[in-house]
Amino acid sequence: DAGITQSPRHKVTETGTPVTLRCHQTENHRYMYWYRQDPGHGLRLIHYSYGVKDTDKGEVSDGYSVSRSKTEDFLLTLESATSSQTSVYFCAAGLAGFDTGELFFGEGSRLTVL
Amino acid sequence: GQQVMQIPQYQHVQEGEDFTTYCNSSTTLSNIQWYKQRPGGHPVFLIQLVKSGEVKKQKRLTFQFGEAKKNSSLHITATQTTDVGTYFCRNAGNMLTFGGGTRLMVKP
């Protein structure tokens, strides 16, 4: 939807290894978000960005970092993956600010940390 | 942050029956958004409600925003198997909080 692609779509890694998930959008959305989805927890915000090089923490940011060097790309990095970070990660983007406008989601990246 | 609670967590219905999910907050919400996520898919925006007491319809779906702007509901009339999925409300306020979702299962 709305030209949002995530890569990789699936990844299996080992505890302690670094992992980077990429979100790419083609619609020039200013705002971008990373969520994780786990059974029983719904969607939880990890980090978000309100412009190039402008990022902030969400609800569950510990163990994650992000970068946004271009409007179209928002990277999520797990510096040292842990089993608790096994999850499905969704990137989202939107034109408007926090309190208005729909979010467009990517198809998700399933990460398994062994 | 402004937490939103959704009930029920799960709902099984027979095809043709109605379904309602509720989104509740202890504080006043600026606006509410609703999303649908099909099994194995990603959330897709359905609608946004902004005004107190607002009611919007999309075919068999009716969305309401409470008068006090502390709750919202999504009602599906005569469910179909295509309605299967998880429905999320989102408090599109400062904390970008999603409710935990209601998973709808429809028996044909």
Side-chain angles (χ1 to χ4, degrees):
Chain A
D1 278 8
I4 297 174
T5 55
Q6 293 183 228
S7 60
R9 295 289 315 281
H10 300 272
K11 186 173 182 65
V12 179
T13 191
E14 294 187 349
T15 298
T17 60
V19 176
T20 295
L21 304 180
R22 179 180 184 242
C23 179
H24 179 77
Q25 56 119 340
T26 59
E27 300 295 323
N28 205 36
H29 293 296
R30 177 181 174 186
Y31 297 86
M32 297 186 75
Y33 312 84
W34 276 107
Y35 290 90
R36 60 177 290 174
Q37 186 172 40
D38 306 289
H41 290 279
L43 290 156
R44 292 183 291 175
L45 180 65
I46 305 171
H47 281 279
Y48 61 94
S49 169
Y50 44 96
V52 173
K53 297 186 180 179
D54 290 324
T55 65
D56 207 346
K57 297 179 180 180
E59 304 165 79
V60 289
S61 59
D62 288 348
Y64 302 94
S65 62
V66 290
S67 65
R68 192 163 179 207
S69 58
K70 298 184 290 185
T71 297
E72 57 265 36
D73 290 326
F74 192 32
L75 304 180
L76 177 69
T77 297
L78 292 65
E79 298 291 346
S80 177
T82 67
S83 58
S84 64
Q85 292 176 313
T86 293
S87 187
V88 179
Y89 291 86
F90 285 100
C91 172
L95 283 171
F98 301 145
D99 59 353
T100 188
E102 68 184 278
L103 294 184
F104 300 95
F105 282 82
E107 295 187 346
S109 297
R110 182 175 294 275
L111 175 67
T112 302
V113 184
L114 302 175
Chain B
Q2 292 178 314
Q3 297 292 328
V4 288
M5 305 299 294
Q6 266 188 271
I7 54 171
Q9 195 172 358
Y10 304 95
Q11 183 84 59
H12 286 85
V13 300
Q14 195 72 40
E15 189 173 20
E17 292 181 340
D18 292 355
F19 159 77
T20 304
T21 173
Y22 300 90
C23 184
N24 300 310
S25 171
S26 58
T27 57
T28 302
L29 303 166
S30 57
N31 58 63
I32 277 283
Q33 297 178 344
W34 286 93
Y35 292 78
K36 177 184 179 180
Q37 184 178 22
R38 295 182 185 276
H42 58 279
V44 175
F45 176 81
L46 294 176
I47 208 157
Q48 177 169 285
L49 305 173
V50 179
K51 299 177 183 177
S52 168
E54 189 170 14
V55 178
K56 289 188 176 180
K57 293 189 176 184
Q58 291 179 350
K59 297 182 179 178
R60 294 178 294 104
L61 277 62
T62 301
F63 303 85
Q64 293 189 341
F65 203 4
E67 293 290 342
K69 298 184 73 174
K70 290 185 177 181
N71 55 72
S72 181
S73 65
L74 158 59
H75 179 81
I76 302 178
T77 303
T79 55
Q80 300 175 359
T81 55
T82 53
D83 295 324
V84 164
T86 301
Y87 293 85
F88 292 97
C89 63
R90 173 187 175 227
N91 165 26
N94 292 335
M95 291 305 291
L96 309 168
T97 302
F98 276 86
T102 296
R103 183 179 173 190
L104 171 64
M105 289 154 279
V106 180
K107 293 178 252 185

